[in-house]
Amino acid sequence: MAKGDMKPEEAQLAIAKAAQMKPQVQAMRDRLRKMADDEEKGVQILANAIRRFLHQE
């Protein structure tokens, strides 16, 4: 696992917390899931995007 990558369980938790704070997260999650070839890849993409988004605020 590369530096900064999350385990799938950590990604799911981060996504759930972010979705509670920001309703747009759930919409983005759904769009990314459709774009990704598989669920795990989509979750990782979303977790990284959320991490960047939350650090910008």
Side-chain angles (χ1 to χ4, degrees):
M1 200 174 293
K3 183 179 180 182
D5 284 351
M6 296 178 151
K7 295 178 183 174
E9 302 82 29
E10 293 171 327
Q12 290 289 353
L13 182 58
I15 291 165
K17 286 181 179 180
Q20 289 175 352
M21 294 170 43
K22 304 279 185 185
Q24 306 94 319
V25 170
Q26 185 62 41
M28 181 59 74
R29 179 184 190 176
D30 293 340
R31 281 181 277 186
L32 285 171
R33 185 177 291 147
K34 289 177 185 176
M35 290 189 316
D37 293 333
D38 64 347
E39 178 71 18
E40 188 171 326
K41 181 178 178 183
V43 168
Q44 188 64 46
I45 292 168
L46 183 56
N48 289 332
I50 290 168
R51 189 179 316 128
R52 285 190 302 272
F53 177 74
L54 291 177
H55 287 321
Q56 289 178 358
E57 292 188 346

